[in-house]
Amino acid sequence: CGVGIGGPIDITSDTVSPLHIPTLHDQPLRAMVEELTGLPTVIDHSAKAVAMGEAWRGAVPFMGRVVMR
């Protein structure tokens, strides 16, 4: 399972602190989603998630290559 979220992500503790959702400040979002879904979960920034989605199922397969960092 993959989750894209805007704002700071602490990869050492898997916590997020999105600026636009104050109730998620310093919350272990990966663990919360894993518990709810029973699936291994990855969290990344929303812009990267959108780029990965485009590369996987969007316009990029028809255009050639995409660069992400």
Side-chain angles (χ1 to χ4, degrees), residues 1-3 29-43:
C1 183
V3 177
L29 185 60
R30 185 187 60 78
M32 293 164 63
V33 173
E34 283 184 350
E35 184 177 331
L36 287 171
T37 64
L39 299 171
T41 302
V42 176
I43 295 177

Side-chain angles (χ1 to χ4, degrees), residues 7-67:
I9 300 172
D10 183 344
I11 59 171
T12 60
S13 64
D14 286 328
T15 59
V16 297
S17 294
L19 305 175
H20 61 288
I21 309 173
T23 56
L24 283 180
H25 183 74
D26 285 333
Q27 292 297 309
L29 185 60
R30 185 187 60 78
M32 293 164 63
V33 173
E34 283 184 350
E35 184 177 331
L36 287 171
T37 64
L39 299 171
T41 302
V42 176
I43 295 177
D44 211 335
H45 290 280
S46 57
K48 285 185 187 176
V50 168
M52 290 171 63
E54 285 294 326
W56 179 48
R57 292 287 191 187
V60 175
F62 305 105
M63 298 175 70
R65 296 186 177 143
V66 64
V67 175

